[in-house]
């Protein structure tokens, strides 16, 4: 019998398992000395929690704080404007991943520019960039690459093919960001009341679970590296509650199906071959964070859209709409429902802030999966 | 190889050849063959009237093509009002250079689909536009049907009614998406594209207390249920584990991050029926191949008027909202 896709998720959505975990969490949580404020770092987890209604299965002394782990949501407007400026250049095809198309920049969005006639294409796989560049030799194809540690190896593998096949019309605008510096920045500010973390499994498949060790040690917070199915998230919460009750603060791997302490060394090497940390990157709502994103290495400057098209791009910071509280939400200091424009002036069709755009954004998840 | 040329839409000899070699040949009926400026129709009762344009890409897909869709789509809109589909118009806008044999395949599919409801194409139009002006072929069909029941309306749904679905969800949307994105499946997932009138006719003739029919086309099940909840000012409560979704559709949703209840269907309809007639309605539906797996997926309540609530198998619940944003253009 062959392995089917459903074999990979069916048992992780098994109703009796979810109910049993809910009971166990409720029982264990009676022993908690203080309320638990768990930051789920990744927007994918926010989506799981809201879509599957997991909050309803938890006791009142466990709350979620939605973290900055949505690559679209943390993209500052000046960089979205980069994408828009690049798309408007002559003979350019701009490629990017799904939700980037709708996120508003300072004046317009890629969706609006596409409607006006710019050639902007969403990719399901970054490898499609190779095909598009090869099929359009007279065009300059620019891949606006976004994502955390999870998608970075894919961009690196596209670069590897570009180098090998000597493709000269594919450029990269790198917006790959890193989880640990962002979480560290939120904790350092001292404002957030977070006392536990759920870390995204896919990031640790690449970077390993060890990336959270400094966090657990420095701030005495339990960390569970979790998968994205409801059973995964519930099991991770149980792990965290047990750690708290046993006064432990360690990094635990719930997603043992694919996460190791060290991660995928080969992928890490490939990333390191092509990219290196930027001195700093401005995160939407959080601000400048040192070494929190990647840039192409100097020796690959001929592929770097930020260098090749530098004369058309401005790095002047552009702040959010003054009513938007995405920044405060990303820091875990407010819930989407605390925002004055949530669901009124700001909806998935007319997003004022980035958290409403992507299905991984906290506001979008609250809007789509409104609780009863 | 024969190709459609600009002259085929010019109104002269080539146009006449195209009409007689293709449209008269396959859509053959007395009203059409009279070739007057307009068709003259006789209808006894109140009529239902609808129109739809078809722009699907790719034009040929597993389970159908743009022609089959153009007939089933309009015929189904009539059927959903409890109207027997009678007369259709069909307008073709064709890109110069389109293959004649592909056009013939499309027209034959249209003829075959018409036979399922007995509706006739009684008038039409053909335009050919220069290469690059449109993508291959667009078809508009407009239809008239005779009302067989005046009780069917999205405003009639009441607390206590049952919500049934005629078959599994999301096949058309998933098929088009898979074709468009080049996802190769180790299965024969195809569109559900189908004329629904035979089942609707049987339900109407069975004199059951049916409140509303609606085919779950663009916007899928989520859109139908939200429209009904709004129109009838009721709450519709759905059990997620009762929703029939095949493994292939589930898989495509998993890979691409969609939900099957947002996907378009082209031969799947939702029925609101009084609870006492639920079993009888299911019996009627099960007589037809295309609705042999019909099931009840939920009930109507007054819990949260104008809202649709989705109950998870593990006891949590949330609102099922209308799909938003750019799901997929040119699905039909």
């Amino acid at each position: 019998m062959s392995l089917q896709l459903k074999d990979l998720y069916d048992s992780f959505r098994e109703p009796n398992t979810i109910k049993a975990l809910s009971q166990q969490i409720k029982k264990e949580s009676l022993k908690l000395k203080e309320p638990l404020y768990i930051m789920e770092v990744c927007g994918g987890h926010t989506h799981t929690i809201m879509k599957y209604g997991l909050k309803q299965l938890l006791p009142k002394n466990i709350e979620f704080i939605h973290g900055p782990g949505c690559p679209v949501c943390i993209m500052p407007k000046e960089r979205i404007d980069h994408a828009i400026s690049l798309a408007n250049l002559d003979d350019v095809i701009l490629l990017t991943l799904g939700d980037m198309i709708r996120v508003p920049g300072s004046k317009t969005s890629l969706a609006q520019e596409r409607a006006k006639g710019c050639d902007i294409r969403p990719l399901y796989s970054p490898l499609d960039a190779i095909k598009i560049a090869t099929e359009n030799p007279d065009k300059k194809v620019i891949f606006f690459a976004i994502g955390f540690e999870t998608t970075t190896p894919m961009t690196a593998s596209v670069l590897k093919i570009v180098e090998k096949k000597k493709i000269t019309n594919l450029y990269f605008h790198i917006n790959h960001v890193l989880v640990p510096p962002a979480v560290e920045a939120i904790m350092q500010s001292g404002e957030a009341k977070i006392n536990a973390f759920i870390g995204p499994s896919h990031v640790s498949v690449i970077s390993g679970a060890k990336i959270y060790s400094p966090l657990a040690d420095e701030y005495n917070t339990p960390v569970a590296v979790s998968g994205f199915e409801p059973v995964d998230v519930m099991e991770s919460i149980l792990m965290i509650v047990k750690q708290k009750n046993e006064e432990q603060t360690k990094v635990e791997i719930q997603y043992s199906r694919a996460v190791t302490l060290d991660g995928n060394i080969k992928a890490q090497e490939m990333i390191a071959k092509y990219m290196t940390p930027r001195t700093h990157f401005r995160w939407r709502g959080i601000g400048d964070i040192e070494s929190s994103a990647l840039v192409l290495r100097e020796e690959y400057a001929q592929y770097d859209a930020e260098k090749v098209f530098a004369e058309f791009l401005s790095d002047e910071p552009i702040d959010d709409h003054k009513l938007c509280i995405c920044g405060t939400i990303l820091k875990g200091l407010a819930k989407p429902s605390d925002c004055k424009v949530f669901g009124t002036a700001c909806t998935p069709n007319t997003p004022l802030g980035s958290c409403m755009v992507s299905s991984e954004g906290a506001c979008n998840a609250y809007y789509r999966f409104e609780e009863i | 190889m024969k190709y459609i040329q600009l002259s085929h839409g010019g109104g002269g000899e080539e146009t006449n050849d195209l009409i007689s070699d293709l449209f008269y040949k396959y859509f053959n009926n007395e009203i059409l063959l009279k070739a007057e400026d307009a068709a003259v129709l006789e209808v006894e009762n109140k009529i239902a009237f609808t129109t739809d344009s078809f722009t699907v890409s790719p034009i040929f897909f597993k389970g159908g093509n743009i022609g089959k869709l153009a007939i089933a789509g309009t015929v189904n809109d009539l059927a959903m009002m409890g109207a027997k589909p009678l007369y259709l118009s069909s307008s073709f806008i064709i890109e110069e250079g389109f293959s004649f044999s592909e056009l013939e395949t499309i027209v034959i599919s249209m003829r075959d689909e018409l036979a399922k409801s007995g509706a006739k194409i009684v008038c039409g139009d053909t335009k050919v536009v220069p290469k690059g002006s449109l993508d291959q072929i667009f078809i508009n069909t407009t239809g008239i049907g005779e009302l067989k029941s005046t009780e069917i309306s999205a405003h009639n749904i009441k607390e206590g009614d049952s919500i049934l679905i005629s078959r599994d969800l999301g096949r058309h949307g998933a098929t088009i998406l898979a074709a468009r994105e080049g996802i190769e499946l180790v299965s024969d997932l195809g569109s559900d594209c189908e004329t629904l009138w035979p089942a609707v006719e049987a339900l109407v003739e069975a004199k059951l207390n049916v409140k509303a029919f609606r085919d779950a086309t663009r916007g899928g099940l989520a859109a139908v249920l939200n429209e009904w909840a709004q129109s009838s000012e009721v709450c519709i409560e759905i059990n997620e584990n009762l929703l029939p979704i095949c493994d292939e559709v589930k898989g495509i949703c998993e890979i691409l991050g969609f939900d099957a209840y947002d996907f378009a269907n082209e031969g799947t309809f939702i029925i609101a029926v009084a609870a006492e007639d639920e079993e009888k309605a299911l019996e009627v539906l099960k007589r037809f191949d295309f609705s042999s797996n019909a099931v009840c997926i939920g009930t109507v309540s007054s819990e949260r008027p104008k809202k649709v609530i989705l109950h998870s198998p593990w006891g949590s619940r949330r609102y099922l909202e209308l799909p938003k944003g750019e799901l997929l253009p040119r699905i039909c």
Side-chain angles (χ1 to χ4, degrees):
Chain A
M1 211 182 86
S2 62
L3 182 72
Q4 297 198 333
L5 196 58
K6 65 174 177 174
D7 301 332
L8 300 178
Y9 57 76
D10 261 3
S11 59
F12 299 99
R13 293 179 195 168
E14 211 286 304
N16 289 328
T17 314
I18 296 173
K19 284 180 194 162
L21 283 164
S22 168
Q23 289 309 319
Q24 271 183 282
I25 292 168
K26 281 176 183 163
K27 198 174 142 203
E28 284 287 331
S29 72
L30 295 173
K31 291 185 259 170
L32 280 174
K33 290 188 186 124
E34 53 173 6
L36 208 46
Y37 296 100
I38 306 173
M39 172 173 270
E40 85 282 11
V41 176
C42 176
H45 280 137
T46 311
H47 189 86
T48 300
I49 290 163
M50 298 302 290
K51 178 172 178 178
Y52 296 103
L54 301 186
K55 280 207 293 188
Q56 297 163 46
L57 308 178
L58 297 176
K60 289 214 159 44
N61 57 349
I62 298 180
E63 266 199 59
F64 290 110
I65 290 179
H66 312 303
C70 158
V72 173
C73 304
I74 57 85
M75 194 70 66
K77 281 188 178 170
E78 60 269 22
R79 292 192 76 84
I80 300 161
D81 284 359
H82 278 193
I84 291 164
S85 303
L86 292 170
N88 273 291
L89 296 177
D90 288 341
D91 299 320
V92 159
I93 302 176
L94 187 94
L95 312 176
T96 190
L97 300 175
D99 291 333
M100 267 318 291
I101 306 267
R102 291 198 303 132
V103 64
S106 62
K107 293 188 184 72
T108 164
S109 68
L110 287 172
Q112 282 169 303
E113 296 307 300
R114 186 173 60 180
K116 277 195 242 160
C118 289
D119 194 344
I120 298 166
R121 305 183 192 180
L123 298 180
Y124 278 109
S125 162
L127 290 173
D128 292 341
I130 301 287
K131 190 166 162 253
I132 294 168
T134 317
E135 284 171 359
N136 296 278
D138 51 342
K139 300 272 187 186
K140 296 190 264 296
V141 179
I142 304 174
F143 178 31
F144 191 82
I146 64 164
F148 283 87
E149 288 87 337
T150 40
T151 52
T152 315
M154 289 300 281
T155 304
S157 64
V158 176
L159 268 155
K160 191 178 169 187
I161 299 171
V162 163
E163 213 187 354
K164 193 177 159 200
K165 291 192 171 178
K166 298 191 168 54
I167 295 170
T168 54
N169 65 328
L170 182 55
Y171 305 88
F172 296 78
H173 188 287
I174 300 289
N175 300 276
H176 287 299
V177 284
L178 304 167
V179 169
V183 176
E184 176 71 28
I186 288 171
M187 291 307 280
Q188 255 179 6
S189 74
E191 295 171 295
K193 49 186 176 182
I194 302 154
N195 54 12
F197 287 96
I198 290 181
S201 57
H202 52 11
V203 164
S204 288
V205 166
I206 305 298
S207 306
K210 64 177 181 200
I211 57 168
Y212 299 109
S213 299
L215 197 67
D217 294 345
E218 197 175 338
Y219 299 99
N220 297 320
T221 49
V223 178
V225 176
S226 172
F228 286 87
E229 294 299 330
V231 166
D232 293 324
V233 174
M234 293 298 277
E235 193 182 9
S236 299
I237 295 167
L238 182 61
M239 283 175 160
I240 288 171
V241 176
K242 282 185 173 166
Q243 275 201 47
K244 273 279 174 195
N245 285 337
E246 289 159 15
E247 294 184 357
Q248 290 185 328
T249 53
K250 58 182 181 187
V251 178
E252 268 188 286
I253 300 173
Q254 180 278 331
Y255 195 81
S256 51
R257 331 207 252 293
V259 172
T260 61
L261 201 59
D262 291 325
N264 182 338
I265 306 287
K266 210 168 171 185
Q268 290 168 22
E269 284 170 357
M270 190 151 77
I271 294 169
K273 176 168 190 274
Y274 295 101
M275 293 173 227
T276 180
R278 277 171 200 268
T279 50
H280 62 96
F281 186 88
R282 208 171 83 96
W283 291 55
R284 193 169 186 170
I286 300 177
D288 251 335
I289 306 175
E290 265 179 45
S291 306
S292 62
L294 300 172
V295 64
L296 281 188
R297 286 185 178 278
E298 197 53 47
E299 53 265 46
Y300 300 102
Q302 81 252 41
Y303 302 118
D304 190 341
E306 281 185 85
K307 295 207 170 95
V308 175
F309 304 99
E311 59 181 309
F312 306 105
L313 308 174
S314 161
D315 284 322
E316 193 65 35
I318 304 168
D319 285 325
D320 276 324
H321 191 284
K322 61 181 186 299
L323 287 175
C324 172
I325 63 162
C326 279
T328 327
I329 293 170
L330 289 175
K331 282 187 196 153
L333 298 174
K335 299 262 186 223
S337 39
D338 298 329
C339 177
K340 283 192 187 115
V341 289
F342 173 78
T344 53
C346 183
T347 69
N349 282 338
T350 55
L352 282 186
S354 55
C355 299
M356 188 57 98
V357 174
S358 160
S359 66
E360 293 191 359
C363 295
N364 186 296
Y366 269 65
Y367 189 89
R368 282 179 56 174
F369 304 127
E370 186 191 354
E371 298 242 287
I372 296 170
Chain B
M1 259 301 252
K2 267 169 81 179
Y3 294 99
I4 300 298
Q5 296 164 35
L6 285 174
S7 57
H8 283 116
E13 195 181 328
E14 290 90 341
T15 307
N16 286 341
D17 289 348
L18 183 69
I19 291 173
S20 38
D21 292 354
L22 212 57
F23 302 128
Y24 284 178
K25 180 177 168 191
Y26 293 109
F27 297 152
N28 181 15
N29 66 69
E30 269 182 28
I31 307 172
L32 181 69
L33 295 185
K34 278 193 178 148
E36 301 278 6
D37 278 350
V40 178
L41 311 173
E42 272 181 44
V43 185
E44 284 169 23
N45 291 316
K46 275 195 173 176
I47 62 165
F49 179 46
T50 187
T51 188
D52 209 341
S53 296
F54 298 86
T55 64
V56 65
S57 166
I59 56 171
F60 292 94
F61 47 86
K62 261 192 181 168
N65 61 47
I66 191 169
K68 179 174 169 130
L69 199 59
I71 300 301
T74 290
V75 160
N76 287 346
D77 282 347
L78 295 170
M80 292 305 114
M81 292 303 294
K84 178 179 170 58
L86 294 178
Y87 305 116
L88 266 62
S89 71
S90 73
S91 288
F92 292 81
I93 305 178
I94 308 169
E95 185 187 19
E96 174 188 15
F98 189 68
S99 137
F100 185 89
S101 70
E102 287 194 351
L103 182 60
E104 187 168 29
T105 308
I106 290 168
V107 170
I108 290 171
S109 302
M110 292 173 79
R111 177 199 64 186
D112 294 346
E113 202 60 26
L114 284 163
K116 295 176 185 172
S117 65
K120 297 182 172 79
I121 284 183
V122 292
C123 58
D125 181 51
T126 309
K127 296 280 191 300
V128 181
V129 295
K131 205 162 182 60
S133 309
L134 67 77
D135 187 8
Q136 297 182 290
I137 182 168
F138 290 172
I139 303 175
N140 170 279
T141 53
T142 296
I144 286 174
E146 187 181 1
L147 280 187
K148 294 293 180 187
S149 165
T150 51
E151 310 297 316
I152 310 290
S153 161
H155 297 267
N156 286 349
I157 302 162
K158 299 265 181 323
E159 189 179 347
D161 289 347
S162 298
I163 304 293
L164 318 181
I165 187 164
S166 66
R167 62 168 301 162
D168 60 315
L169 274 173
R171 283 179 177 261
H172 182 73
T175 303
I176 299 294
L177 196 63
R180 203 93 64 82
E181 298 304 331
I183 298 172
E184 285 174 30
L185 296 165
V186 194
S187 88
D188 52 358
L189 175 71
S191 168
D192 56 327
C193 180
E194 189 61 57
T195 290
L196 298 168
W197 172 246
V200 173
E201 184 177 36
L203 286 167
V204 171
E205 282 179 354
K207 302 248 182 285
L208 302 177
N209 190 4
V210 172
K211 308 298 185 72
F213 297 119
R214 190 157 287 181
D215 51 345
T217 52
R218 275 178 300 175
L221 175 70
V224 172
L225 296 178
N226 273 287
E227 285 157 16
W228 279 1
Q230 291 281 340
S231 302
S232 288
E233 300 191 18
V234 291
C235 176
I236 299 180
E237 302 200 41
I238 299 298
N239 285 319
E240 202 170 358
N241 58 342
L242 296 179
L243 293 178
I245 306 165
C246 72
D247 288 343
E248 293 90 337
V249 171
K250 272 188 193 163
I252 286 170
C253 286
E254 284 305 316
I255 292 169
L256 299 176
F258 292 111
D259 286 309
Y261 40 71
D262 288 346
F263 270 165
N265 308 274
E266 289 295 341
T268 303
F269 69 123
I270 321 300
I271 303 109
V273 60
E276 67 270 19
D277 281 346
E278 176 193 317
E279 281 307 315
K280 283 181 211 153
L282 286 172
E283 274 169 36
V284 172
L285 286 166
K286 285 175 196 288
R287 281 189 233 146
F288 300 89
D289 276 350
F290 60 79
S291 56
S292 58
N293 294 318
V295 284
C296 177
I297 54 172
T299 53
V300 180
S301 77
S302 56
E303 172 80 16
R304 293 278 196 284
K306 300 188 181 182
K307 289 283 191 182
V308 181
I309 295 176
L310 195 65
H311 291 264
S312 80
W314 42 86
S316 62
R317 49 183 206 155
R318 64 177 168 87
Y319 292 123
L320 179 64
E321 300 284 352
L322 278 172
K324 291 175 187 77
E326 188 179 288
L327 198 60
L328 192 66
R330 292 182 56 197
I331 191 86
C332 57

